[in-house]
Amino acid sequence: MSASEGPRETVFMRRALALARRGWGQTAPNPMVGAVIVREAAIVGEGYHARYGAPHAEVMALRAAGERARGATMFVTLEPCTHHGQTPPCVDALLAAGIARVVMAGRDPNPVAAGGVERLRAAGVTVDVGLERTAARELNAAFLHAFTSNRPWVTLKLAVSLDGGLADAAGRSRWITGERARRLAHRLRAQSDAIAVGIGTVLADDPALTVRDAPAPRVAPQRVIFDHGARLPLASAVVRTAREVPTLVIADTPDERRVRALEDVGVSVLCASGTIAALEELAARGVRSLLVEGGARLAGSLLAGALVNRLIIFRGSMLLGAGSLGAFSAAPAYTLDAAPRYAAIERRALGDDVMTIYAPAPPAGERNP
């Protein structure tokens, strides 16, 4: 690849990534994928996976390109599949269309669908892997994580005041951040298999935990309440709608009468000893992505166990001062030398609020010198 081709090819892959994001909330359990077909430095076709069960990104791009795909290059955010699932193999479509080169951001970890690189190369197609790999992995982090872990991809989202408070001295937390931040938070919900809070958050705020200020996802995320004694009030919003949106209480040693009362109104109850066991059970039930929205005790438990894959802080512009509930008041105490580090991978201004996404940094001994 020449120096002039490098930046130009990055532009094409970033366009494919932008297309992939159009499938937000609609493709699970499939990943979001985008594809761009380029011939003589011009885009002649593009597509994305719009919805689970619909044609894949590669097929949509080939349809748009038509005969112009023959001898062209395809930029695609994930390795084209080789299996018959909801749709035929994308590799077969690429070969039939005469694509001469495929540039993909990363390999597919699904053993059922993988092998596209080998199939394409065996047929004489030039294949390059790794362009914009980091961005592509971040886009489908939960999907990729599911093939290497028995726990969901956990995103801890906290809306805090300027001084790090989750709630004021009276326990009130509505609203610390503004409308733009809340809309983005609902978009995060739309891409999650489940939304979790602790019982304290339910008792204080009575949240609905549904997607409202964002396009409706194909499948509504289930609600998960970490509730040691199954104290969830029968009059709460999540209980009243439990027959419409799946709702699960995770308890430790609940009173059997409370369990029966919840189950009678449509709430499922899971008995699990400890956070790790609860997460493993959620994954076994098909939850790949878990968005945790508080409160402080649940956040502290997840952080103490190094169970958070991404930490998202929405920081508002108000100052709550003395007596407010600190977002990390239940997190373990660390010395400066032993404190875990988090790398900021994205920052975005939302009016007077700021969203920052953090990824856990590797331990000091594993960092690059």
Side-chain angles (χ1 to χ4, degrees), residues 81-344:
C81 66
T82 59
H83 77 303
H84 284 269
Q86 294 284 326
T87 60
C90 289
V91 165
D92 291 354
L94 267 64
L95 295 176
I99 289 288
R101 178 176 174 233
V102 177
V103 181
M104 61 187 73
R107 301 289 300 260
D108 191 335
N110 185 349
V112 176
V117 169
E118 291 75 17
R119 282 276 315 278
L120 291 167
R121 285 176 175 164
V125 177
T126 300
V127 178
D128 296 311
V129 183
L131 184 63
E132 291 294 296
R133 185 195 308 270
T134 299
R137 289 190 64 84
E138 192 67 24
L139 179 64
N140 285 307
F143 169 80
L144 299 170
H145 178 78
F147 293 96
T148 61
S149 176
N150 63 346
R151 297 194 294 266
W153 178 266
V154 176
T155 299
L156 174 59
K157 189 275 292 182
L158 300 172
V160 304
S161 63
L162 192 61
D163 52 339
L166 277 180
D168 64 17
R172 296 170 299 187
S173 61
R174 294 185 176 180
W175 297 101
I176 289 176
T177 55
E179 184 178 343
R180 288 178 62 185
R182 294 198 294 274
R183 285 202 303 267
L184 185 50
H186 278 261
R187 179 172 166 81
L188 294 173
R189 288 181 176 183
Q191 183 60 15
S192 303
D193 293 329
I195 306 164
V197 296
I199 183 61
T201 297
V202 176
L203 296 176
D205 296 337
D206 192 25
L209 301 180
T210 55
V211 178
R212 299 182 299 281
D213 295 329
R218 186 181 69 87
V219 179
Q222 66 175 292
R223 287 91 59 95
V224 177
I225 316 298
F226 284 79
D227 181 7
H228 175 77
R231 296 182 293 147
L232 183 63
L234 298 181
S236 63
V238 290
V239 172
R240 294 197 309 271
T241 56
R243 296 197 187 279
E244 302 162 22
V245 181
T247 304
L248 175 68
V249 165
I250 298 179
D252 190 348
T253 53
D255 182 282
E256 291 186 4
R257 290 172 298 177
R258 291 293 307 160
V259 172
R260 287 197 299 270
L262 289 170
E263 291 179 339
D264 285 346
V265 292
V267 177
S268 300
V269 179
L270 165 66
C271 293
S273 181
T275 308
I276 291 178
L279 292 177
E280 291 175 348
E281 180 59 32
L282 286 173
R285 295 180 177 213
V287 175
R288 289 179 169 179
S289 54
L290 180 68
L291 178 66
V292 180
E293 298 194 350
R297 183 175 298 179
L298 178 56
S301 174
L302 292 166
L303 292 167
L307 301 171
V308 175
N309 300 104
R310 290 294 180 269
L311 173 62
I312 303 182
I313 301 294
F314 287 87
R315 189 173 296 276
S317 57
M318 66 176 63
L319 187 72
L320 292 179
S324 61
L325 174 63
F328 301 101
S329 59
Y334 299 100
T335 64
L336 283 174
D337 292 338
R341 306 281 178 166
Y342 292 80

